[in-house]
Amino acid sequence: MHNHRNGVSAVSFGAPAWEVSKQNKVIDIRTDYVTPNIMRRSDGHEFVNLCSCSYLGLHSHPDILEGAIAAIRHTGALDLPISRIRLRLNLLEEFEDRLTALFGARCLSAVTSSAATAGVLPLIASGHMSSDGTPPVMLFDRHAHFSMDYIRPICADETEVVACRHNDLEQIEDACRKHKSVAYVCDGVYSMGGVAPIAELLSLQDRYGLFLFIDDSHSLSLHGAHGEGYARSIMREVNERTIIVASLGKAFGGSGGVIMLGPTEHEDILTRFGGPLAWSQGLNVPGIGAGIASSKLHDSPELSRRQAQLRRNMALFDSLIATEQADNGFPLKVIAIGDEDRAVAASARLFEAGYYSSAVFFPIVKRGAAGLRIMLRADNTEADIRGFAQALTEILQRDLAPAPARVKADA
Ligand SMILES: *Cc1c(COP(=O)(O)O)cnc(C)c1O
């Protein structure tokens, strides 16, 4: 027990900071959109949301909204609720064909990228994605996103699973020398900064046949001429030893997830035996319609225009506020505060000043490294970014006393 998961300890470590957040009213907030940029809390308080993952601001793009509506009208139903392996809408096929053309790799969709990962990883573990059927030893990068780590215990029931030091090419090569078949599981771009060493990993793949599973949710739409993401933009092709998954619910501006595959045999295995890919719902009709509209935008000058707007906003932010993530090309920034209570208090004050940021603490960041997380977007205004920087500076300079609400140890 507890070789790959320990729920009791995870919850007991994580719970206190959430409780403080709740008492400071910076989570569980009910709200409506006023504009794509401004939100209104149910008591009327209006604020700028700086925590949306719609990095290109596409979730409010009129074409995408219209695409969702048109798809419902055209179909006359919200969904075709039956496993895709039996029946699937032509509209879904059209969407996947568009993604395939856009990203230059056979693409399947899923209801979320987490569901895609939950479907794919166990089949890698059982050897069904390897050409000779050998279950690979699986190395999970220590910084791999929760959605991969969560499936680790299932993989460990199929094959040997090893925690890999972050981006440690030596450890990966060492495993390749020792074992006939090895798979490495990682993010393409890491949200807290840094990227996977894709070129070096491809070289290990050439030399040893290393299998790569890459979650590029953080960079889809942000990187690449067609928004194909960081890892895909470096690879010549997605070969039979590589699978990339990514969320369509972030910068892409739609919902669901995408799986980029090499050979078509993998497609049949995945749709028949890929857990939630086989038994659970797929993208519903508005999700498909929005996705088709977004694919068209990705194939138009609008994509590079928005990518450039986002870069401008990131540069403006970096010129005003120092973070470890400055100039790393990714819109997520963590403003270091240190103490958890102080981070929650700062988040609460900023919220009252009209800016929603999220306080992050262990286990999202290291212990004692609590801070405020914000995500920049292409559709932030210059006034929003400057206003946030000013409010932050004032709040951090003023004493944050009185102390924020605390959970008593004996409560
Ligand atoms: C957000 C995120 C996910 C989850 O995406 P869903 O499509 O909502 O499941 C998975 N992986 C990474 C790296 C993410 O950033």
Side-chain angles (χ1 to χ4, degrees):
M1 277 199 303
H2 300 325
N3 287 323
H4 296 280
R5 179 178 168 82
N6 188 337
V8 170
S9 99
V11 171
S12 71
F13 280 132
W18 285 118
E19 249 346 285
V20 175
S21 299
K22 183 150 186 157
Q23 292 180 12
N24 281 275
K25 300 190 168 60
V26 291
I27 58 169
D28 291 334
I29 299 156
R30 274 165 295 159
T31 182
D32 291 305
Y33 275 103
V34 179
T35 70
N37 245 329
I38 310 281
M39 313 229 50
R40 186 188 294 126
R41 197 168 58 189
S42 38
D43 65 357
H45 177 60
E46 291 191 0
F47 59 97
V48 176
N49 176 18
L50 287 168
C51 291
S52 158
C53 295
S54 189
Y55 306 123
L56 295 178
L58 287 174
H59 277 101
S60 53
H61 194 290
D63 289 9
I64 291 181
L65 305 185
E66 206 39 61
I69 295 164
I72 295 182
R73 292 235 164 83
H74 166 82
T75 308
L78 190 73
D79 204 352
L80 173 62
I82 174 173
S83 171
R84 62 173 290 150
I85 195 64
R86 298 185 188 278
L87 296 175
R88 62 184 171 273
L89 291 172
N90 280 315
L91 202 65
L92 181 68
E93 199 81 3
E94 180 192 334
F95 178 39
E96 293 181 348
D97 287 346
R98 278 183 188 277
L99 290 176
T100 298
L102 192 65
F103 298 148
R106 177 61 191 145
C107 287
L108 297 182
S109 65
V111 71
T112 58
S113 91
S114 302
T117 294
V120 174
L121 285 181
L123 287 170
I124 294 177
S126 60
H128 286 94
M129 298 287 125
S130 320
S131 45
D132 63 357
T134 310
V137 171
M138 287 179 89
L139 274 66
F140 280 67
D141 191 284
R142 279 198 192 279
H143 292 187
H145 187 261
F146 294 109
S147 54
M148 291 167 268
D149 209 49
Y150 198 70
I151 308 303
R152 199 152 57 116
I154 302 177
C155 298
D157 219 26
E158 296 278 5
T159 189
E160 186 184 343
V161 162
V162 179
C164 184
R165 288 179 299 273
H166 180 50
N167 279 352
D168 190 337
L169 290 161
E170 265 176 47
Q171 186 179 356
I172 302 165
E173 180 158 10
D174 199 43
C176 289
R177 284 202 207 94
K178 285 199 187 115
H179 304 285
K180 181 170 169 223
S181 181
V182 176
Y184 175 59
V185 177
C186 63
D187 291 23
V189 168
Y190 288 86
S191 66
M192 295 299 192
V195 297
I198 301 292
E200 291 82 356
L201 291 169
L202 290 174
S203 150
L204 290 178
Q205 183 172 71
D206 273 349
R207 282 183 283 148
Y208 301 100
L210 175 67
F211 195 98
L212 295 172
F213 176 91
I214 303 168
D215 179 342
D216 229 352
S217 294
H218 284 130
S219 76
L220 197 81
S221 305
L222 298 184
H223 282 86
H226 293 108
E228 63 272 28
Y230 178 74
R232 176 69 194 93
S233 69
I234 293 175
M235 294 172 184
R236 222 173 335 109
E237 53 167 5
V238 176
N239 62 26
E240 75 286 357
R241 290 173 196 275
T242 305
I243 294 180
I244 299 173
V245 304
S247 182
L248 298 174
K250 292 183 171 162
F252 186 80
S255 66
V258 60
I259 309 169
M260 302 183 203
L261 287 171
T264 42
E265 306 90 82
H266 288 172
E267 182 172 337
D268 287 341
I269 289 277
L270 279 174
T271 53
R272 291 173 195 172
F273 302 103
L277 298 173
W279 78 61
S280 189
Q281 54 187 303
L283 266 188
N284 64 16
V285 168
I288 299 169
I292 289 174
S294 180
S295 310
K296 291 178 187 167
L297 290 173
H298 278 66
D299 212 8
S300 79
E302 180 77 356
L303 182 72
S304 59
R305 207 174 60 74
R306 295 219 171 206
Q307 287 173 335
Q309 268 173 340
L310 175 61
R311 278 195 298 275
R312 274 199 297 279
N313 284 344
M314 292 193 288
L316 173 62
F317 181 91
D318 288 339
S319 75
L320 297 170
I321 298 173
T323 62
E324 253 182 52
Q325 293 78 22
D327 295 321
N328 74 358
F330 188 70
L332 185 148
K333 311 281 175 190
V334 179
I335 300 147
I337 306 272
D339 179 66
E340 299 196 341
D341 292 346
R342 206 161 169 263
V344 172
S347 174
R349 300 281 166 89
L350 273 165
F351 189 31
E352 291 318 309
Y355 300 94
Y356 187 73
S357 60
S358 53
V360 288
F361 29 72
F362 182 80
I364 303 169
V365 293
K366 284 196 292 268
R367 263 176 209 292
L372 296 176
R373 180 171 61 187
I374 65 124
M375 287 86 135
L376 291 157
R377 300 196 312 273
D379 61 335
N380 292 133
T381 65
E382 183 179 334
D384 288 347
I385 295 171
R386 289 190 185 279
F388 171 77
Q390 189 170 353
L392 175 74
T393 310
E394 283 170 12
I395 285 164
L396 291 183
Q397 276 169 1
R398 276 198 318 251
D399 194 354
L400 283 171
R406 286 207 63 134
V407 185
K408 291 199 191 76
D410 58 346

